[in-house]
Amino acid sequence: MNIHEYQGKQILKSFGVRIQEGIVADTPEQAVEAAKKLKEDYNSDWVVIKAQIHAGGRGKGGGVKLAKNLDEVKQRATDIIGMQLITPQTGPEGKKVSKVLVAQDVYYPGASETKEFYVSVLLNRSSGKNIIMYSTEGGMDIEEVAEHTPHLIFKEEIDPKVGLQGFQTRKIAFNLGLSGNAFKDMTKFIAALYKAYEATDSAMFEINPVLKTSDDKILAVDAKVSLDDNALFRHPDYAAMRDTNEEDPTEVEASASNLNYVKLDGNVGCMVNGAGLAMATMDIIKIAGGEPANFLDVGGTANATTVKAAFNIILKDPNVKAILINIFGGIVRCDRVAQGVIDAYKEIGDIRVPIIVRLQGTNAEEAKKLIDESGLKVFSAILLKEAADLVSEVLA
Ligand code: GDP
Ligand code: MN
């Protein structure tokens, strides 16, 4: 699960990572109040107004603007809140901004006095260890640094059983070319960042840029945090940070109904129990001359409610010309699923595409009988081959 910059920074701060302080605002008026408060608390005359969306590259897209007085705060916040922000990471349609972070300006007195670094912590799946990636080339696209100047990206692996060691934080600060107070502050920054990453069960923390200020303090200007979904049950406070406005609406609806759904570009919708069978079904659709419109695993306990939710999700896709339901009845009984299909069909009513149901396993014969006698425009099959032939037939 991804969270916003302002939420990521709250988490960082709670673990003692120094951050660029800020206050989130939903309206230009709130932004002005936030700027006044930042002046009181941190004596910052200038502030930056930062669009809060789940995508990076906001600076390039015009979503990060400096404001030198309260009039400018109001103006910039008015411009940014409500805008459709397009960045290299949002896709061409962009993302609508509904919140801004009003943050203290930390680049005083000017760019020549400050230095931007890149630091991220993530899991290296091939070695089974955590890894800190860091670079002197902060502030810009790290993919570009990796492509053109890969020797400027350093990696430090951390054995989770041993934890991050003092020599490693010193090595990182040294490789970043720091000395004196900035060196010391960087070692503290890295240690606190690593602690935050571990304690939150995160999949990734990416801080770009990490800034060395003109007075040699190290702080996080940005925060891209990705929490591990499988560990969210241990962190209800972080789970509550989820912003479903930032996610694909159909996938949000699917996850609310406990369905594993991924939208694809084809013309045959499919509803299957089990991920392996779902993939095999997608192959069958291709062999039959169609293209799968989605991946959808209804899980091991398909019933009328899940079947109906799955129908609704598949039917939202205007490209769908047919639906193939492929259920193997192991624990779940096929006649129950068949009844679920019939109930859902009747309840939704206006289903404009042919439906092919292949039920195999426990009570498959009863299930076929139920469907054949229902009087609905549903074709039933028991063998996979029959189902594939029916798909070809309805597409022809
Ligand atoms: P991103 O573009 O989505 O990665 O957003 P960032 O939070 O990384 O900000 C983008 C850029 O805005 C940074 O690289 C800085 O150059 C600039 N920026 C961020 N905070 C400040 C600030 O306090 N003062 C000034 N002058 N520039 C800032
Ligand atoms: Mn950034």
Side-chain angles (χ1 to χ4, degrees):
M1 183 182 94
N2 294 329
I3 55 177
H4 286 293
E5 172 197 1
Y6 78 93
Q7 296 165 323
K9 281 176 163 172
Q10 278 167 15
I11 294 178
L12 289 173
K13 190 176 177 180
S14 72
F15 286 94
V17 181
R18 197 199 308 272
I19 56 163
Q20 172 193 42
E21 295 287 345
I23 299 167
V24 72
D26 298 311
T27 63
E29 293 70 32
Q30 283 179 12
V32 170
E33 288 312 307
K36 285 184 191 160
K37 183 98 172 63
L38 289 172
K39 166 79 181 159
E40 267 171 40
D41 292 354
Y42 304 103
N43 200 30
S44 49
D45 285 316
W46 296 359
V47 294
V48 273
I49 312 293
K50 311 181 78 178
Q52 297 299 290
I53 55 167
H54 285 188
R58 295 163 301 164
K60 278 186 195 147
V64 180
K65 290 270 164 68
L66 187 66
K68 299 183 177 175
N69 55 52
L70 292 180
D71 285 341
E72 284 188 10
V73 169
K74 188 152 190 190
Q75 191 52 53
R76 305 264 188 269
T78 307
D79 293 345
I80 294 176
I81 296 170
M83 85 186 279
Q84 196 72 19
L85 179 57
I86 301 169
T87 85
Q89 294 180 18
T90 57
E93 70 286 357
K95 278 197 161 174
K96 182 149 176 145
V97 182
S98 55
K99 282 182 195 325
V100 290
L101 178 64
V102 182
Q104 57 172 168
D105 170 40
V106 285
Y107 285 63
Y108 56 87
S112 60
E113 313 292 324
T114 58
K115 170 92 186 100
E116 292 179 319
F117 303 104
Y118 171 95
V119 180
S120 62
V121 192
L122 57 158
L123 176 66
N124 181 352
R125 289 179 189 276
S126 54
S127 67
K129 290 177 181 166
N130 291 316
I131 188 161
I132 297 180
M133 272 209 324
Y134 59 104
S135 175
T136 49
E137 307 307 292
M140 47 185 122
D141 212 343
I142 197 67
E143 281 79 18
E144 249 165 58
V145 181
E147 195 180 325
H148 301 296
T149 47
H151 60 284
L152 296 177
I153 298 182
F154 300 94
K155 291 178 183 143
E156 187 66 30
E157 281 212 327
I158 298 113
D159 189 325
K161 291 195 292 292
V162 182
L164 179 67
Q165 302 293 299
F167 79 89
Q168 295 179 299
T169 60
R170 290 193 291 276
K171 182 167 144 198
I172 292 170
F174 179 81
N175 282 339
L176 291 174
L178 297 170
S179 58
N181 275 339
F183 181 99
K184 244 195 257 163
D185 214 34
M186 182 60 90
T187 60
K188 280 193 213 151
F189 181 92
I190 298 288
L193 177 65
Y194 186 78
K195 196 169 89 193
Y197 164 84
E198 264 205 324
T200 54
D201 291 311
S202 283
M204 187 190 64
F205 265 58
E206 185 183 59
I207 317 296
N208 188 22
V210 170
L211 189 75
K212 181 184 87 71
T213 62
S214 54
D215 45 359
D216 275 353
K217 290 198 174 75
I218 304 294
L219 52 82
V221 169
D222 195 2
K224 186 171 172 187
V225 175
S226 180
L227 302 160
D228 184 345
D229 292 340
N230 295 317
L232 277 178
F233 74 97
R234 303 209 291 196
H235 308 285
D237 42 342
Y238 302 149
M241 290 179 170
R242 181 166 179 200
D243 183 352
T244 48
N245 292 326
E246 294 286 330
E247 298 170 26
D248 180 271
T250 323
E251 290 185 13
V252 172
E253 191 185 329
S255 83
S257 310
N258 273 324
L259 302 169
N260 289 311
Y261 171 86
V262 181
K263 170 140 180 31
L264 302 167
D265 304 326
N267 55 1
V268 181
C270 43
M271 190 191 307
V272 190
N273 65 337
L277 188 57
M279 289 196 276
T281 305
M282 288 157 71
D283 285 345
I284 290 162
I285 290 171
K286 282 212 164 212
I287 292 167
E291 283 287 334
N294 65 276
F295 169 94
L296 175 60
D297 173 12
V298 294
T301 53
N303 55 38
T305 319
T306 42
V307 169
K308 188 174 156 228
F311 259 133
N312 275 321
I313 286 164
I314 295 174
L315 289 169
K316 284 215 169 89
D317 181 349
N319 295 331
V320 167
K321 300 280 174 287
I323 298 177
L324 173 58
I325 302 176
N326 189 8
I327 304 283
F328 178 76
I331 296 167
V332 57
R333 281 166 38 194
C334 290
D335 54 328
R336 286 240 178 109
V337 176
Q339 195 58 52
V341 171
I342 294 165
D343 292 349
Y345 195 109
K346 285 186 179 155
E347 211 178 314
I348 297 171
D350 169 38
I351 294 183
R352 54 193 157 67
V353 296
I355 294 170
I356 299 131
V357 187
R358 182 245 171 182
L359 292 158
Q360 179 61 283
T362 315
N363 293 359
E365 297 291 344
E366 288 91 324
K368 185 167 174 9
K369 194 154 168 272
L370 271 173
I371 287 177
D372 290 344
E373 290 171 1
S374 68
L376 300 173
K377 199 176 151 196
V378 178
F379 305 93
S380 66
I382 292 183
L383 298 177
L384 216 45
K385 173 85 174 61
E386 291 167 9
D389 290 344
L390 282 167
V391 171
S392 308
E393 236 172 79
V394 300
L395 288 178

